[in-house]
Amino acid sequence: MCTTVSALLLTAALAGCAGPGAATGDSASGPRRPLAELAPLADPRAQTGPGTASLPDADITGAPAPAQHLPVTVTDHQGTRVTIGDTSRILALDRPGTLAATVFSLGLGDRVVGRDVSTGFPSARKLPLVTRNGHQLNAEAVLALHPSVVLTDTTLGPWDVLLQLRDAGIPVVVLDAKRTMGNVGALVHDVAAALGAPEAGDRLATRLDSEITAKKAEIARLAPTDPARRLRIAFLYLRGQSGVYYLFGKGSGADSLIDGLNGTDVATEAGVEGMRPVNPEALAKAKPDVILMMTKGMESVGGVDGALRVPGVAQTPAGQHRRFVDMDDSQILGFGPRTAGVLDALARVLYAPEVTG
C-alpha cells in the first residue's frame, strides 16, 4: 500500500447530490458571506438530514506565468536526481488531482498538455485523458503528447509505464503521495522547484498556508467550544458496485480534514490506522454524529437509503438522523490549492446550513 490512503480515492462513478431540500452551507449562485457572519446551529449534533458541500467556483486559475530558472536538477521523493530543462509540455498526474491543480495555481496551466481522470476542474476538462480503467496510466497516450516533464507520485500505475517514460528520455519527477492539511505548502514547494519556479512556489505556499490557518480560525469560532459538544465524525469510503466499505482513520488525510473542521475523528479515537474495512459493531460503538463521504461514493450505494444499508451505519446517531455530508471526490481529500475552500464549504453544512429547494 502506498504512503497515503489517497491511493484508493477517486474511482470512476456517477456524480451525485443530496437532492431537493438538502442542507447546503450557503447559496452557490452568488458571493458567500464569511463564516463569521452566519448563524451557527445551537447544537450541531442535533441536526438532521443530509447535505452536500460545494465550492462556489470549482475552477482553478493561476497568477501570471512565473519567472523560471532552467535547467534545474531536483532530487525527487524517491531519491532520484532528475534534471528538467524544458517545461513547455507538462503532465501532472496523481489520483487526487492535486498536482495539476498546483501547476495551474502556479500560473503554468497553459503548459499542461494532458490530464488524469481526477483532474476535472473546468480549465483542464478538455485536455486529453492519459489514464484508463480508472487510474491506470496509458503509455501510448502519454508518449503521444510528447511531454517535456512528468510530475507524478506513487498513486498511479503501473510503475513500468513510468520506467518506459524515463527510458524514452522524459524527465519523471516522483513527488510525495501524502495528502494532509499539514503538507500543502511542502507539496507546492516541490512542484515549483521541479518547474524551475521556486519564488512562485514560495508565494503560493505562503498564501495557501495563510488561507488555511485563517479558515481554521473562522471554523473554531463557529463550532462549539466545549469539547464534549464537538461533532463526532466518521469518514467512509464507499463503492457500492464493488461492495467496498472502508473507514478512514489516522494518517489517511481524513483525520487531518476532520481536525481542521474542529470535529472529533471517531476512527482515530478508536485506534484505526490508515484505512480498514468497516466493522459494523465498532462503527456503531464509535457513535459518529456525522458521516462524511465522497459524492460518487454516496451515489454508488444509491443515496441516503443505500448508505443506511451499509452494515453498522443505521445503528449510529448519524444514521438515525440521516446525517450524511458528501463532497466532490476530486475536492474533499485533495489538500491542494482549494483546501481552504473545502474547509469553508464543509463547515457551512456542518455548522450553519441553509435549506434549499
Side-chain angles (χ1 to χ4, degrees):
M1 188 173 72
C2 69
T3 57
T4 175
V5 179
S6 64
L8 292 175
L9 308 183
L10 311 174
T11 55
L14 296 174
C17 64
T24 62
D26 208 32
S27 172
S29 60
R32 290 182 169 180
R33 291 176 293 158
L35 288 179
E37 295 181 7
L38 300 181
L41 294 167
D43 181 6
R45 297 181 68 175
Q47 178 72 2
T48 63
T52 294
S54 61
L55 298 174
D57 183 1
D59 204 7
I60 296 176
T61 54
Q68 291 177 271
H69 313 285
L70 298 171
V72 63
T73 299
V74 298
T75 300
D76 74 8
H77 191 65
Q78 293 186 327
T80 303
R81 286 178 60 80
V82 185
T83 298
I84 302 97
D86 179 4
T87 62
S88 62
R89 301 184 64 79
I90 301 169
L91 284 177
L93 312 168
D94 65 326
R95 285 198 186 221
T98 310
L99 298 181
T102 302
V103 173
F104 271 75
S105 295
L106 286 168
L108 293 169
D110 61 341
R111 317 278 186 88
V112 178
V113 295
R115 68 178 181 91
D116 52 57
V117 71
S118 300
T119 301
F121 52 89
S123 293
R125 197 169 290 151
K126 293 182 179 180
L127 292 171
L129 193 64
V130 299
T131 51
R132 61 186 178 187
N133 300 325
H135 301 283
Q136 289 186 325
L137 291 170
N138 183 324
E140 292 76 15
V142 172
L143 290 168
L145 294 175
H146 305 290
S148 58
V149 59
V150 174
L151 308 179
T152 189
D153 60 21
T154 55
T155 63
L156 296 180
W159 182 250
D160 285 349
V161 171
L162 298 179
L163 295 179
Q164 184 177 345
L165 299 180
R166 282 179 170 164
D167 288 343
I170 300 169
V172 176
V173 181
V174 180
L175 299 163
D176 190 358
K178 187 177 183 180
R179 302 285 183 271
T180 73
M181 202 83 62
N183 76 337
V184 171
L187 189 62
V188 168
H189 282 297
D190 290 346
V191 170
L195 298 177
E199 296 89 354
D202 288 342
R203 291 191 297 271
L204 179 59
T206 297
R207 176 171 68 82
L208 295 181
D209 286 342
S210 177
E211 288 175 355
I212 292 168
T213 298
K215 190 59 59 180
K216 290 170 69 174
E218 281 188 86
I219 293 170
R221 290 192 292 271
L222 192 67
T225 56
D226 182 355
R229 297 178 60 236
R230 292 179 66 168
L231 279 173
R232 297 178 58 77
I233 303 174
F235 191 106
L236 296 188
Y237 177 84
L238 309 179
R239 284 299 180 262
Q241 311 96 320
S242 306
V244 172
Y245 311 128
Y246 280 103
L247 176 66
F248 281 16
K250 184 176 181 180
S252 68
D255 55 333
S256 176
L257 178 66
I258 292 169
D259 182 68
L261 292 166
N262 257 43
T264 296
D265 177 24
V266 299
T268 296
E269 183 182 72
V272 174
E273 297 275 350
M275 42 76 68
R276 291 182 190 169
V278 171
N279 179 306
E281 293 76 18
L283 180 61
K285 185 178 179 180
K287 298 181 179 179
D289 303 302
V290 177
I291 291 177
L292 291 183
M293 63 179 68
M294 299 175 184
T295 299
K296 292 178 181 178
M298 171 70 88
E299 185 70 15
S300 77
V301 295
V304 171
D305 289 339
L308 287 169
R309 290 192 288 270
V310 174
V313 169
Q315 287 71 49
T316 66
Q320 291 158 10
H321 293 158
R322 299 174 70 86
R323 191 88 195 273
F324 302 94
V325 176
D326 68 281
M327 191 170 191
D328 185 272
D329 297 38
S330 66
Q331 298 170 3
I332 191 168
L333 288 182
F335 294 112
R338 295 176 289 189
T339 301
V342 169
L343 285 172
D344 183 278
L346 287 167
R348 290 169 189 272
V349 179
L350 293 173
Y351 298 119
E354 296 179 354
V355 176
T356 62

